[in-house]
Amino acid sequence: MMGLDIYKKIFHIRATETKLDELFKKGLVHGTAHFCIGQEFIPATISQYLTNEDTVTSTHRGHGHALAKGLDVKLLLAEILGKSIGYNAGKGGSQHISSKDHNFYANGITGGMMPVANGMAFANKYKSNAAIVVTYLGDGTMNEGNALEALNLASVLKLPILFVCENNSYAMSTHVKKAVAGSIQDRVKGFGIAYEIIKENDFKKLDEVAKKVIDEMRKNPAPFFIEVQTYRHHGHSKNDQNLYRTKDEEKFWFERDVLIALEKELLESGTSKEELESFKKSCVEEIDRIAEEVSALPEENEEKILDHVYSK
Ligand SMILES: Cc1ncc(C[n+]2csc(CCOP(=O)(O)OP(=O)(O)O)c2C)c(N)n1
Ligand SMILES: [Mg+2]
């Protein structure tokens, strides 16, 4: 269902990453991060139809997947800033956030979680518990052996797993047309997996398809693959200035920003400008407050640095 709730979720994810960008620029975050700004509507839409028992596996570009699955923004920011109250004691960082309580697991190895997700889906099927697994991947990930093997096994074992391919046309700086032979669709269909394409950020179609597919998967376990054509507004990661994309291409996609489209629709259907502005202000203020609180926490102390390391 598209409306104010989904708008708020997308705005919240975007505001969180915008804040993170600011923290990076101040030198408060180590390592790198991959922003999902422009793509937030995908997890925000899919997660509407998930329960806590459903599992989501995520990628290097996972902050939006995590927040949409219900993870708490304070503990997420703490993890990314390397603080010990973070979801993984500040040792996973941006790309390796997991929360057992939320059945959420991310990993920065491209396609690395897909076989693991199959295992989780197999467990659900074995227990007949109607829970499903959603596993996110990118267009570039379709060239990983892991990904292709996982698609094969999901089909052979008829697993209740939804593959969501966020096709933002690029794997780092390489365009999908220069990297993926044939088509993603033909590959998926070659494995006998049902497939649907969502073109050009068509958030309404994604909503319809996600609802239908997830309902059906709970009753009759079988894999499904949704390819969503979308676009990331920022570079691949923090040190990428997007020099390989044309201004025309960016303009095309920025005009199709789901947040802008939804805001326009909300205003046209009677939500007042004041309500939206007041929500945005309080959302940004809350994230500012949390970021300040988390930034002020002490760094992990040296004695604890080797905790959770299994081979010392
Ligand atoms: C096995 C492996 N190889 C290479 C990398 C480096 N790497 C990180 S993201 C990425 C590109 C992924 O592209 P895509 O699947 O399209 O996802 P997107 O970044 O566009 O969301 C690569 C090659 C990695 N993390 N893991
Ligand atoms: Mg990509």
Side-chain angles (χ1 to χ4, degrees), residues 23-217:
L23 297 176
F24 259 102
K25 285 176 181 142
K26 285 187 186 157
L28 294 173
V29 194
H30 304 294
T32 191
H34 308 75
F35 291 164
C36 70
I37 292 177
Q39 307 184 179
E40 312 93 327
F41 73 100
I42 303 168
T45 303
I46 302 276
S47 277
Q48 292 179 104
Y49 303 110
L50 302 181
T51 69
N52 199 52
E53 279 59 52
D54 296 321
T55 299
V56 166
T57 77
S58 175
T59 64
H60 56 289
R61 202 175 296 291
H63 310 150
H65 304 153
L67 291 171
K69 186 69 169 74
L71 274 73
D72 176 73
V73 66
K74 179 174 169 187
L75 303 186
L76 183 99
L77 283 177
E79 183 57 36
I80 300 170
L81 267 71
K83 309 292 183 173
S84 59
I85 64 157
Y87 274 109
N88 307 104
K91 291 174 182 169
S94 163
Q95 299 184 63
H96 300 99
I97 296 166
S98 58
S99 169
K100 196 161 184 284
D101 290 345
H102 296 88
N103 287 312
F104 179 86
Y105 304 94
N107 194 293
I109 298 173
T110 307
M113 286 310 279
M114 291 172 69
V116 180
N118 269 349
M120 293 162 169
F122 181 81
N124 290 332
K125 186 170 178 178
Y126 190 75
K127 294 179 190 159
S128 302
N129 63 9
I132 68 155
V133 177
V134 174
T135 186
Y136 290 98
L137 63 141
D139 45 288
T141 308
M142 283 301 289
N143 289 331
E144 289 288 343
N146 259 347
L148 300 165
E149 290 174 34
L151 289 171
N152 180 60
L153 199 62
S155 184
V156 167
L157 299 177
K158 285 212 171 325
L159 300 177
I161 182 164
L162 175 59
F163 297 97
V164 179
C165 178
E166 300 173 321
N167 182 354
N168 55 16
S169 288
Y170 292 91
M172 301 182 92
S173 57
T174 306
H175 196 276
V176 62
K177 285 194 180 133
K178 290 187 184 160
V180 178
S183 76
I184 292 175
Q185 172 163 0
D186 288 347
R187 289 183 184 193
V188 172
K189 289 190 171 166
F191 288 113
I193 295 179
Y195 165 99
E196 189 79 62
I197 188 157
I198 309 297
K199 292 193 173 153
E200 297 173 5
N201 279 353
D202 185 346
F203 56 95
K204 290 184 185 158
K205 182 162 179 206
L206 177 63
D207 186 55
E208 270 167 39
V209 170
K211 182 174 183 344
K212 194 169 91 209
V213 164
I214 292 172
D215 274 356
E216 178 59 26
M217 193 178 289

Side-chain angles (χ1 to χ4, degrees), residues 228-281:
V228 189
Q229 291 181 345
T230 186
Y231 207 65
R232 54 169 159 74
H233 290 191
H234 285 234
H236 168 75
S237 61
K238 286 304 302 163
N239 57 2
D240 173 13
Q241 292 166 19
N242 270 331
L243 299 175
Y244 45 87
R245 308 199 308 197
T246 66
K247 290 288 162 234
D248 282 351
E249 182 184 275
E250 289 186 343
K251 183 167 178 286
F252 175 90
W253 281 99
F254 294 168
E255 284 172 0
R256 282 159 185 76
D257 182 3
V258 175
L259 195 66
I260 295 174
L262 268 176
E263 182 161 333
K264 188 162 172 277
E265 280 197 7
L266 285 167
L267 291 170
E268 281 166 5
S269 64
T271 307
S272 72
K273 190 146 185 66
E274 292 69 42
E275 186 181 353
L276 286 187
E277 292 309 319
S278 127
F279 159 72
K280 288 195 225 177
K281 189 166 174 284

